[in-house]
Amino acid sequence: MNFDLSDDNLQVKKMAQNFAEKEILPNLKYYETERIFPKAILKKMGETGMFGACFPEKYGGSEMGFLNLAIIAEEISKAHPAFGYAFNMQGMTCPFTILNWGTEEQIKKYVPDLIKANLIGMFALTESGGGSDPAGSMKTTARLDGDEYVINGSKTWITFANEADVGVLFAKTDPKAGRKGISAFIIETNNPGFSAKPIEISSLGYMMRSCEIFLEDYRIPKSALLGKEGEGFKIAMNALDYGRLTVPARLVGIAQGCLEASIKYSNERVVSGKPIGEYQMIKHLLADMAVETDAARLMTYRSAFLKDRGEVATRQSSYSKYFASEVAVKVTRNALEIFGANGISDDFPIMKYVNYANMLHFGEGSANIQRILIANDALGWKNANRHQIKRKFSLNSDLVLS
Ligand SMILES: Cc1cc2nc3c(=O)[nH]c(=O)nc-3n(C[C@H](O)[C@H](O)[C@H](O)COP(=O)(O)OP(=O)(O)OC[C@H]3O[C@@H](n4cnc5c(N)ncnc54)[C@H](O)[C@@H]3O)c2cc1C
């Protein structure tokens, strides 16, 4: 067992840090105040190979692997947690699902442009009846009409939908068949019948939006079916399983960002003649933050490491999603306490971290749902790995990109 990051991993970490410092941090204010989607930055991220970390070279991937992806997602989310979304839409849930389940033709048509962010992606599963029960709440239908499917329904909280060119969408092809009646589709947003309306979420900012989407007699050819009819639920669960690598990495980035800001602040802020870091109760908060962030990181790296070895890591991904979300919420809460009133000021980064930690706590499977999955698995009632599929490809994760 070796817990050291390799030279390759450290180089990747440095590359992500440099990118955040040069390309993201100086431009944040512009994109946020002007409410402009930072496609130009996402494209530069795509060019570095960040989104293509887990994709084979033959589809434009950088083959850096899952551990390097986790390291990058952590560093970029530390700079600004909104950019963490892009790892799911451009690097995981949308293109990776197409890679895992698509035909050669579908993969070639979409994947290379998604991971370069030439195309913007989305993943449309959640409906207003409750994200925790996607099958039970799904009312969107896809009806075969000759050589086309006609889709009707709506989805909610769909990230990037107002900017997206293409997405993976789930709909019921057999509404009476429960989970087995769900199918997955690749949809293009410029077809008639698709519309997206951003949801107002001032706490998360305005440059990257989540939306309601509406499909009204939206037609796609039969060839847009992803996998087989009725495989949609399995495809969705498998996609979320991979998403549960980048989400904990994003949460670790948020926790680390808070920890670093809190250490700096504790050294600089003088109250009653002493830097507050000298007070024992502040030390206590900092110690918990440092230890728990480290533990969440190790759990996240373990599931990445297993995925890099081609092993099933569903159980470990659930553990790390659950644990990292609890840690990030606690660490951001501690940071607020350390910063006092300044914690809620826009001049300091804390509230941004607080809001994203709380959002990611329930996104991609809430803490309760993770607990249920973990406990059912522990009790032997359900095999944690039942939605896992064998990867169709292997990566040479020794490769490093500039
Ligand atoms: C900013 C943002 C971006 C998002 N992006 C996307 C996206 O791109 N694509 C997408 O498809 N979805 C997206 N989502 C939706 C997200 O995945 C859901 O919010 C999540 O699945 C939880 O669903 P819900 O919010 O409807 O909560 P609900 O399902 O209504 O749950 C509410 C509460 O009840 C608890 N609960 C529910 N069922 C049980 C149970 N059986 N036992 C115990 N407790 C339970 C939950 O843990 C939670 O605490 C996004 C959400 C947000 C906020």
Side-chain angles (χ1 to χ4, degrees):
M1 234 184 190
N2 180 359
F3 289 97
D4 293 335
L5 291 182
S6 67
D7 288 347
D8 163 15
N9 302 138
L10 292 170
Q11 205 182 321
V12 166
K13 192 176 174 77
K14 192 83 213 141
M15 180 270 285
Q17 283 169 343
N18 288 342
F19 187 93
E21 272 163 33
K22 289 198 186 108
E23 305 289 348
I24 296 181
L25 294 172
N27 296 311
L28 275 176
K29 198 162 181 197
Y30 165 72
Y31 285 104
E32 194 48 61
T33 50
E34 299 295 323
R35 299 187 176 198
I36 293 172
F37 183 70
K39 185 164 180 184
I41 300 182
L42 299 191
K43 282 186 83 159
K44 284 187 184 169
M45 289 169 77
E47 280 159 22
T48 66
M50 289 184 191
F51 300 137
C54 303
F55 291 79
E57 261 189 343
K58 68 171 178 164
Y59 301 124
S62 57
E63 300 207 1
M64 285 192 270
F66 291 90
L67 179 55
N68 281 327
L69 177 66
I71 291 168
I72 296 168
E74 176 186 333
E75 289 302 328
I76 298 292
S77 302
K78 189 174 90 176
H80 195 293
F83 280 84
Y85 282 135
F87 290 96
N88 288 50
M89 303 314 143
Q90 306 303 136
M92 267 292 135
T93 24
C94 179
F96 206 67
T97 308
I98 298 175
L99 179 75
N100 273 336
W101 296 88
T103 60
E104 188 66 16
E105 202 183 337
Q106 288 171 328
I107 295 172
K108 283 191 173 143
K109 185 170 178 191
Y110 298 109
V111 165
D113 279 327
L114 279 165
I115 60 181
K116 291 276 183 294
N118 295 329
L119 291 176
I120 297 300
M122 66 177 179
F123 181 82
L125 176 66
T126 304
E127 299 196 5
S128 58
S132 305
D133 179 20
S137 67
M138 192 174 293
K139 295 209 163 52
T140 300
T141 56
R143 177 178 53 84
L144 200 55
D145 179 25
D147 279 344
E148 291 180 327
Y149 283 99
V150 186
I151 305 185
N152 278 287
S154 66
K155 303 266 170 191
T156 191
W157 294 108
I158 308 307
T159 301
F160 288 5
N162 57 328
E163 302 287 342
D165 303 288
V166 55
V168 173
L169 175 126
F170 299 86
K172 284 195 170 162
T173 38
D174 182 354
K176 293 196 189 97
R179 292 177 174 188
K180 294 205 169 125
I182 296 173
S183 301
F185 300 89
I186 304 175
I187 66 159
E188 294 184 10
T189 59
N190 58 5
N191 287 2
F194 176 89
S195 59
K197 181 171 166 261
I199 300 169
E200 285 302 307
I201 327 172
S202 57
S203 59
L204 300 184
Y206 293 101
M207 65 181 157
M208 301 199 205
R209 311 295 297 267
S210 295
C211 306
E212 279 183 276
I213 66 171
F214 305 94
L215 298 118
E216 290 169 64
D217 290 332
Y218 172 93
R219 287 179 172 269
I220 36 167
K222 249 176 154 177
S223 59
L225 182 69
L226 185 61
K228 298 194 188 93
E229 258 199 29
E231 273 190 328
F233 188 74
K234 193 159 74 166
I235 294 174
M237 293 305 110
N238 182 244
L240 294 178
D241 181 50
Y242 281 104
R244 283 178 200 141
L245 173 67
T246 41
V247 172
R250 292 162 62 190
L251 286 155
V252 171
I254 289 170
Q256 183 66 31
C258 266
L259 173 64
E260 288 176 16
S262 300
I263 291 168
K264 186 168 182 287
Y265 193 78
S266 300
N267 276 319
E268 289 170 359
R269 175 76 168 166
V270 175
V271 179
S272 303
K274 284 187 195 175
I276 59 169
E278 288 191 25
Y279 295 115
Q280 197 163 6
M281 278 185 273
I282 298 289
K283 284 193 167 106
H284 184 159
L285 294 173
L286 288 170
D288 286 358
M289 292 163 83
V291 171
E292 289 170 19
T293 302
D294 197 39
R297 181 181 294 109
L298 286 174
M299 286 180 88
T300 304
Y301 285 2
R302 179 180 63 176
S303 77
F305 170 80
L306 290 172
K307 283 183 200 299
D308 273 330
R309 282 211 311 213
E311 289 182 29
V312 167
T314 302
R315 176 179 303 129
Q316 290 79 5
S317 301
S318 256
Y319 283 14
S320 57
K321 161 64 181 58
Y322 169 57
F323 188 69
S325 63
E326 293 283 306
V327 165
V329 167
K330 185 175 163 195
V331 166
T332 54
R333 174 73 193 82
N334 284 5
L336 264 184
E337 203 170 330
I338 290 171
F339 274 75
N342 281 335
I344 58 167
S345 155
D346 286 350
D347 293 337
F348 292 86
I350 305 305
M351 277 315 288
K352 171 185 73 187
Y353 289 130
V354 171
N355 293 332
Y356 273 94
N358 281 288
M359 182 277 279
L360 288 170
H361 193 262
F362 54 83
E364 303 233 354
S366 68
N368 279 3
I369 297 301
Q370 297 312 316
R371 282 195 195 100
I372 291 169
L373 297 175
I374 292 165
N376 285 349
D377 178 52
L379 288 161
W381 292 354
K382 275 182 184 164
N383 177 356
N385 299 326
R386 67 198 183 282
H387 297 301
Q388 188 76 24
I389 55 155
K390 212 165 164 50
R391 283 221 316 263
K392 286 193 292 196
F393 56 90
S394 62
L395 297 175
N396 168 14
S397 46
D398 292 337
L399 270 183
V400 190
L401 280 224
S402 57

